[in-house]
Each structure stands twice: as C-alpha cells, then as structure tokens.
Amino acid sequence: MKIDPTYVQQARDVETVEELRALVQKAIELEHATIPPYLCGYFTLKLGTNEAVGDIIRSVAIEEMLHMTIACNLLLAIGGRPRINTPDFVPSYPDGLPFGIGDEEEPDGDEKTFKVHLRKCSRMQVEDVFMKIEEPDQILDIPDVDMLGEEQRHFDTIGDFYLFLIAAIERLGPSIFKDGHPQIIARKWFPNPKEMFEITDVETACEAIRVIVDQGEGSKDDPFDEFGEPSHYYRFQEIIKGRKLIRVPDADPPYAYAGEPVVLDDLDVWNMDTNASISKYKPGSMSERMAIQFSYSYTRALNALHDTFNGRPEALDDAMGIMYELRLLAQQVLSTPAEWADASNKQQAQTGLSFEYRTTNT
Amino acid sequence: MSYLSLPNLAFSGRFQADTSTVNNNVFYYNTEKFDPSYQAKALLVNDEYPAVYGYWNPEGTGAFRLIDAKVTKAQTSVDDPGTDDVAVGLFINAQEARTSAKLVDLDPQWQYGSMIFGLRIILTDGTTEYMRGDYRPAPFRDIYFGRKPAGHGVQGSETASAKFTSILENVEFTEAAEKSPILMALKASAESNDDRLSINLMTGGFSKQSTYGIMCGSIGPWEQGDPLAFVAGRRFSIDKAGSAYNGMCNSNGIGFFDAQINGTTLSADLSNALPQDAANQARNIGDLGFAIITVADEVRDIGKRTGTAEPVIKTGAYVGADDVDLIGTIPYTADNWLFTTSGLCQLTMTEEQTKLAAERPLALVECREDGSFRIMSRETPGGFFVRADNFEFRLDPDFATPASDHVHILGLQYGAPCANLPISIEPQPRTSGGSNFDGPDQPSIPIPDVNFPENKISIADHVTTSDAGWVSVPFVARNPDNPREYVDGQIFQINYGPAINGPFPAPMFEMIVAHVRDAVHVPDDPDWETDVAPFMQQYDNLYPVMSKWLFSLADPDVVKDHAKILAFAFERPFEDPNHMPVTRDMSAGKRQIILNWLAKRMQTAPPQVMPKSDPPPTIENRGPAPVPLAKVTAADWQALHDALPAHDDGKSMAARNYALTQIAALKGRDT
C-alpha cells in the first residue's frame, strides 16, 4: 500500500525513542484502519453463503487484529502507551486515513482513484480497495488456471516503513526496552507462539515486525507467508481469480491460482449503503438509531482494547465479546432499509455500517 | 436509605429489550415437535397478530440497552430544585467497554421476573467519566399491566410498566466528580457502605415492533443492612375492595409503590404507580398530595393465631380534614414531570407529623375543592410489610446432593424493622405451568405442570423475624428428575407474606420462584449425538439469532470450528454479559458437558462450572402457621385475566394463560 513518503522518511530519520514511539502509535492506527473496510466486506456476506470468500476476508481481518496487537505490544515494550479510544484514532472513510493513505496523486494528474471506501463486498471492492491496501512492494507473476500473466510493478509501501522501523530499533539498541504495562500474549485467541510472543529486546521486536510484514506482504519471491498462508494481497486475489492459491511443486513458478473454487455470488450480499455515517440518516429514523448503536458498540470495542493495552489485559475478553455483538448487530443494521436525511436513497440500499467514534448511545 | 432518599440523581431516556421471543411458548421447547415456522416473526395486521409463529422478536439477541439516557435532576434537599448540580445533563452510559447487558426470563413457565445481567452504569459528559457502578442482577417487580391505555396498536405488555430495583456495586468516582456536590455526597455514602449505591429503573411504554421503550430511574444512597432489591420503607398497597382491581393496581388505577421517611423528609416513588396516558405521561387524576391518616388501623394479637390488622380508613374513602394530616401536594401534572423527576416526590413534614407518621399509615390523597380528601392509595394495614430480598433462584441439584439456598425476608412496621413478625410460607400445589399458545399451527402435546413432585422442595412453612427484622429461610431442592419431560427441571412457586389476618394482597406475581434443574450425568468425554445434541438442538431452535446470523449450535463441525469463543462464553458466570447461553436457563451440568466436549476438541483441560455442593441446611419446621396467607382468589385471577387483551402474544399472553390455570386450580380447591 502506498503511503505518504514523509512517514518512510521519518522512520529513516528516527533518533530518539520518543520519535520511535510516535511512529509505532501511527502503525497501530494504520493496522486498525484496515479493519472496518474488511469487516464491511465480511459482514455484508449473508450467513451460509459465500463461505470461501467470507473465510478469506475474515482470516485477513483477524490477522490485522493480530498485527494491531503486535504493534501495541511493541509500543508497550519501548515504554509507550497505546492510545486507542480517542476521536482522532478513528479514521473517517474514505478520507482521513493514517499515513495519508488514499491521498497520493495519480502520476498522470487525473482524479485520485484509490480511496478506502466502506462498501459491501464485491469484486470491485476487493480489487480496488482490499488488494490496494495490501499491495506488496513487488507483485509476483502468478499463473492462474488460464495462465494469465501479471505485469510487474514497483512501489514504496507500508512494508518499507516497517523495514525502516526495524532499522531504527536496531540503531537505538537495547536501552529503549522498558518494563511497562503488561503486553498481551493472548494464547486463548492467538495460540501460535510464533505469531504472538512477548517483545523484550531488539531481536524479538524485529521478529514481531517481520510477522506483520510477512503476513501482510509476503516475501519478494514467495506469495506464501511463513505460516503457509498466502499473504494478504494474494489471499484477496483468490476472490478475483476465483480459485485458491496452491503450491504446484514441479511448475515454474511453483504456485498457481488453481485450487478450490472461490465464488462470490453478488445476490447473497447485503446491498449496503456506501460510506455510511450517522449524519447521513434521517433524524429519529431507525436507520439513524442503527447507525448510532453500531458506532457506539464499535467505540466500546475500542474502549475495551484501550483498557487491554493500558494495564487491564483481561479486557481483551470484553473486546472479543463486543466483536461478536457487532457481528449480530451488523445483521440488524443491514436488514434496515436506509432512510437518508435528504430522502433520496435512489440505490434502495440498506443502512450501512458506520464506524464512527461515538462515546454515548445517544 | 435508598434510591428515593436524598441526595439522589434522577435520569430518563429510552431502553431496548431485544429479547428473543421463541422461548415465550413452552411448546417450542419440544424438539421433536419443533417446526421451522416457529422461528418466523409474527406480523401485526390491523393491530392484531393473526398467527403466533415465533412471536414478535424471534431473532432477538437478549440485549438490554439504555439509550438517550441523561441525568434530569440532582437533588440534595427538599428545597433544592435539583437543576444546579453539574451532574444534571450527564449521560447515563451502559457498558462503555463491554458487550451489552442481557434481559432474560427465568423459564418459559415463569416470565414474570425477567432479570438484567451484566449492566454497567457510567456517568459521563461524553468525554470524561464521573462515576461508574455495576447493576447487581435483579428481576423486575410490581409489574403493572394496563397502566397505559390499550388500543391503536398498543396491547398486552405494551400497556405495562415495571420496576427494576437493585444496587450498584463496585462504585467508583473520578476526579471530575469533585465538581458535583451530589456526586461527592454519594461518594461519601458509598465509601462507608461497601462501595454500593441504590438504583431503580422504571421501564414501560414498550413497543414490540421496535423493541424500544421509555425508561426513568434514580440513584441514591444505600446503607449496610438495607435490602438489595427493594425499598425498606412504607409500602403503598392495593385494596381488594376496589372495583377495578386486577392485582396490579387499585380501584383508582394506582399501582404498588414505596415511600421512606428519613428525618423529617418523606420521599416517595411514583415512577411505576400513576396511570399513564398514550404518551407515557402521568394522567391527570386530580390534585394529589401525601397525608398521614390520623385514625389508627385496628391492630391486635400480632404473633397469635388471632393476629389482625384492618384498615379503618380505606382506599376510596372520602374523609374530612380531621381524618388526614396533609403533608404536601405533588406537581405531577407539570410538563414531562415523570421523566424529569423519575416520579420521585420529596416533602418536608413538621416535627408533629414526623412523630405521627411513625405510628399511623400514610396515604396518597386527592385534595378536593371543598377541603375534603379522597384516599387514592394507602399504606398496608398497620404499616406491616414483608418482602423477600432474593426471590428468583436458579438451582442445580446433583443426583445425590440437593441444592440449597436461603431466602432473606425483611419484616417492617411503618418503615422500621419489626421483630417477631410472623411470616407464612406456602409452596404452591401442582398446577398447569401454562405459557403455551392455542392455535391451529401449534403442536398437540401436553402443557407441563409445575410445582411437582412436591417432595422435591423443602422450606419451613412458618418463621418469625429476628430483632433486626430479618429472617433467613433455608430451602433445599432435590433433583426433580425431569417431571416436565421436554423442558429441563421444574418451576417451584412459593407464596409468602405476613401471617396476619387482614388485606395483605401481594402483587400478582410476587412470590419466591425457583427453577430447579434436572441432575445430569456429565461424561468426561461426551458424545455429540447422545450427550450434547439433545440440548444444543433445543437451544438452536429457541435462540435462532445464533444460527441465522452467527453460526449453528446444532452442527458439531461448526461448534468445533468456534470452540474457543464457545468455551470462553460457556464458562463465564451468569453476571458476565458474555455468558452463554444468553438465556441463562441451561443447567450447570449441561454447560459442563459442552465444556468437556469442547475441551476434547481443543485438547485442553475443561474449566469447571459445576457448583460445589455444600451440605444442605436443616429445615426447621416451626409448626403450622398461626394464620394462613391472604389468599388470591379465583375471582382475582379472573379479573386479571379479563384485564389482559385476548389477541396478544408474548408476556401478557403467558400471564393470561397463567391466570386461567390459577382459576382452574383455585376453583378445584374451593369445591
């Protein structure tokens, strides 16, 4: 994913632990910012349908939650305090994402084409938004069943930012690691000790960041991460290619989109209102009530996560409980026809999932 | 002290009760006869439900939420208008950092004590927190069907309101609260009283179509020794002589309510007492005030078989100024009064009135133009009031070891603890448990009886209060051994009340009720088909939101895929809002079976949720009660039945049906 080069530069120039903490806080915000669009994708798939697509999006969303947790642990390890339940933590979609994501100018000066919209699941959303978010430094040319090729491209990405962050940690050395609030090693939810471990020194910090980069972007010569799963970009591409990515040992390259079919049936997707917000809906309408309730519940999840990383690790259980409530609530929201404040709603859409910072259920 | 004493905070707003309604019909517990149509939503056609299906909210999640709730008044003294404190205007947040609270029935055959679990109350200005506390799970009481006029689509439970009285535990205040004298006063009170405060919520104006209703409530001081789930004060009761009596309100349309005297201040809670108009406001029923009845009730021989308390001046009586001493009037017809004051009335008495009120009954009176008064509602005869503090039980006996608990009952006279007050306790005889629906789409199966086998529950039939007014009554429940066949365990209803001759009618559903679960064999390595499937299929049927919107609990592969979250939820205590099953009606043994099954799949050691079995207490049978309890007659139940609309579903249908079974049982007994 392309980011504002200023941040890569900042990571390059880090000289103090304070500067490092500020950047790690930004990384937490970035990892979080990907979750609402993925949840919109996942929650708009009607239950019992589109299961292969749902598994893909859900698995990536869970890994983003893991990455957010790792970034929080890193900040704790270097004496910082994750700030999660503040108004500016929550991005406004499609503008105002961290790292200037979606703000880059197109080379030909045309209107910006990449925006992180909160939309229902569709091939367009997967290709134009999800895969853009996860776009690695270098895209591998992977054959699909029709042996279609991909053109090679090159970007500066969030992966570069993380690599410079590793360099900064190595440069600053062991003195930046401090005993602070307890880190979250939630074996109950993330049982793999290679994914989730305590960060205590330069080595474990760098290893933790590599988990994020590896699962997100993969390596430059293998689309699979060290856990055997396709990295996020290639996992999403399975939806576009219509097949799971599998290893083909004797072929060149030794992998292809030739596995089990991955079918997205648009008829079994809720017709969700795009980029929903509370103010979009008619005051006093059930649409508005649903948008407020969803935003308030989402804010409660952020509160629980904030507590989790600020001295109350057991609050992670509460955060998990709220995530399941959001899943149920999403279905109530999506089954409510949208009533817009301006009474237009020509799309006949259903009320959308609004991820807004709302501290009261009012 | 209590939520109605000063200082206190009044608040109001809305609530959501997103309860699942499939389990409102006992028939639907029969897995073999279950039809998928029972999970469909009943549709309202011309203000009626032509078919019942899964009632009005089959896909409810059980969530109980507070919405648009704000502090409306913060009052320190009678003369304080309650508008100046910084606490006024604060939001009342529920939860804030955890999943929604839950509202659940005890059992399909006891839907008259729905309990709130896992509610955390937080006062905030939207940015900064001032105070928080955890609502101790407690069911509603004093439900008042018909408080709001029926018609225009409003029917059954939509006409009702009820009170959830409990305490806030683990109360904490932040630095921001220092700006509020009232919050500081409440903090001082909580700090010397186990970090507890008293709280009340009145819920009503419910709409089944939207699942939302209106709510008001208050928070005030709680003191060690106070009850946890009612006000130890002056009880305004109904009078059976009233013509409109239906067990919930008197002939003037006024429901049960409570008052308390602290020093020279009379505090009363009318939040759940005055009849409402269609907009949920208190209906104008004349100029109302509080007074002391100067004529003593006839009280004699308390503690003996001839013990009697009879009112001399009764509800409905027109009296002159000699018979009552007016304390003050109440401005209940003011704009939005109910939702600004939460129905709390604060009046100052003179020293003489304070002395008089200690030995005479209080009354709510209509102040008439000619200087006379009409008694709109009055205190219990002789000021005697008996109430159980814990009255809804979920018990898990084992095959060999019974389950046991204690009911804590307080006796009062004119608001003061009453020593040596005789109390009768009477387990109810076997009767139909009702809560079914009659219709062509309903299965042809028997309606389970409740309260049997009678020998499975033991409790003393007569006790007397201690010097402090309290008595803890032990009771023992043995494995009922599946008497209801397709519903787990058994419901045992136990009436109680002062053993005094006289009109002491309890609210219609005021009784001690226990759901005693069937003992079950818990294998270390349960088999899905034989050990788990039977009750998980039933849960999947009754709580369709899981299979429709999350995942099916009837499919072992799916359950295995979600083993981590399920193991987490099934081991949570009842108080935790994450507890599964949401309905909290699954026995500890069955939950242990599913945990053992999940643990095998996860290759971990299962957590233990089975209760430790203590030796059961000895039930002291203190001999026959000196006088029987005030009986609710078949005619009383008939009046209640007639007051409820015929074409309704959900709770009022269950109540209507329950009334029918009581009529049948009492008529049988009378003849």
Side-chain angles (χ1 to χ4, degrees), chain B residues 2-10 71 73-77 80 82 182 186 198 218-221 267 341 344 346:
Chain B
S2 70
Y3 68 85
L4 47 71
S5 320
L6 294 170
N8 64 39
L9 301 169
V71 175
K73 196 173 178 182
Q75 196 175 6
T76 48
S77 66
D80 174 9
I182 289 190
L186 291 173
S198 173
S218 54
I219 296 171
S267 307
T341 64
L344 299 186
Q346 310 291 349

Side-chain angles (χ1 to χ4, degrees), chain B residues 447-516:
Chain B
I447 305 163
D449 285 356
V450 296
N451 296 326
F452 86 102
E454 285 85 349
N455 63 357
K456 298 298 184 185
I457 194 147
S458 302
I459 189 165
D461 60 9
H462 171 231
V463 294
T464 52
T465 55
S466 68
D467 290 347
W470 284 98
V471 56
S472 288
V473 189
F475 71 97
V476 169
R478 295 169 199 85
N479 173 22
D481 206 13
N482 196 222
R484 294 192 291 175
E485 297 184 3
Y486 61 84
V487 194
D488 188 286
Q490 183 56 287
I491 287 292
F492 291 96
Q493 304 156 332
I494 302 165
N495 280 349
Y496 72 100
I500 302 173
N501 294 296
F504 287 94
M508 228 48 183
F509 301 110
E510 176 81 12
M511 49 183 91
I512 300 156
V513 184
H515 180 206
V516 182

Side-chain angles (χ1 to χ4, degrees), chain A residues 79-127:
Chain A
R81 295 278 176 276
R83 291 184 312 279
I84 295 172
N85 63 345
T86 57
D88 53 359
F89 184 83
V90 179
S92 61
Y93 300 91
D95 297 302
L97 268 65
F99 289 92
I101 290 159
D103 286 350
E104 82 274 18
E105 294 292 333
E106 291 299 307
D108 52 8
D110 282 354
E111 209 175 309
K112 294 167 192 172
T113 53
F114 172 56
K115 290 278 180 195
V116 181
H117 295 282
L118 295 181
R119 289 197 193 113
K120 67 179 176 182
C121 190
S122 68
R123 279 177 196 76
M124 180 185 78
Q125 177 74 349
V126 171
E127 191 158 26

Side-chain angles (χ1 to χ4, degrees), chain A residues 41-301:
Chain A
Y42 177 53
F43 288 166
T44 50
L45 301 171
K46 291 185 179 173
L47 194 75
T49 70
N50 289 316
E51 283 179 358
V53 175
D55 287 346
I56 289 169
I57 303 175
R58 179 169 170 266
S59 69
V60 174
I62 288 172
E63 285 184 2
E64 296 299 352
M65 293 175 199
L66 169 71
H67 299 171
M68 184 179 159
T69 306
I70 291 172
C72 287
N73 280 343
L74 176 58
L75 186 53
L76 288 166
I78 59 173
R81 295 278 176 276
R83 291 184 312 279
I84 295 172
N85 63 345
T86 57
D88 53 359
F89 184 83
V90 179
S92 61
Y93 300 91
D95 297 302
L97 268 65
F99 289 92
I101 290 159
D103 286 350
E104 82 274 18
E105 294 292 333
E106 291 299 307
D108 52 8
D110 282 354
E111 209 175 309
K112 294 167 192 172
T113 53
F114 172 56
K115 290 278 180 195
V116 181
H117 295 282
L118 295 181
R119 289 197 193 113
K120 67 179 176 182
C121 190
S122 68
R123 279 177 196 76
M124 180 185 78
Q125 177 74 349
V126 171
E127 191 158 26
D128 293 353
V129 178
F130 294 2
M131 287 174 64
K132 273 277 194 192
I133 289 174
E134 302 290 353
E135 197 160 74
D137 219 15
Q138 199 171 324
I139 298 172
L140 296 166
D141 186 10
I142 304 176
D144 57 22
V145 280
D146 301 322
M147 300 304 288
L148 289 175
E150 270 280 338
E151 191 183 325
Q152 293 243 337
R153 286 174 290 176
H154 196 85
F155 287 115
D156 285 342
T157 68
I158 191 68
D160 297 324
F161 168 80
Y162 277 123
L163 292 180
F164 282 113
L165 215 53
I166 288 177
I169 289 167
E170 285 173 337
R171 201 165 57 243
L172 291 173
S175 66
I176 61 172
F177 292 92
K178 304 197 163 45
D179 284 336
H181 282 317
Q183 294 177 35
I184 301 306
I185 314 300
R187 283 277 168 275
K188 186 158 56 176
W189 308 115
F190 299 107
N192 188 338
K194 286 185 173 175
E195 285 184 337
M196 179 73 88
F197 45 83
E198 192 172 4
I199 298 169
T200 53
D201 51 21
V202 172
E203 195 179 313
T204 46
C206 296
E207 184 54 34
I209 297 175
R210 280 189 206 102
V211 170
I212 298 178
V213 178
D214 180 45
Q215 290 186 339
E217 299 199 350
S219 67
K220 295 198 187 321
D221 51 11
D222 191 339
F224 292 92
D225 64 23
E226 70 160 305
F227 306 102
E229 289 291 328
S231 57
H232 294 179
Y233 178 87
Y234 303 105
R235 222 180 295 175
F236 282 137
Q237 200 168 40
E238 292 176 332
I239 299 170
I240 303 305
K241 299 283 185 182
R243 292 270 180 180
K244 296 289 279 183
L245 180 64
I246 55 166
R247 291 195 185 277
V248 188
D250 298 329
D252 180 28
Y255 33 76
Y257 287 104
E260 292 291 310
V262 177
V263 180
L264 175 59
D265 183 348
D266 293 330
L267 291 177
D268 282 322
V269 177
W270 285 105
N271 184 23
M272 183 185 95
D273 207 358
T274 297
N275 295 330
S277 67
I278 296 165
S279 61
K280 187 174 184 179
Y281 298 113
K282 187 177 164 189
S285 66
M286 194 48 92
S287 270
E288 186 201 44
R289 173 93 283 280
M290 286 287 137
I292 291 171
Q293 183 63 56
F294 193 83
S295 290
Y296 177 62
S297 302
Y298 160 68
T299 306
R300 282 190 282 133

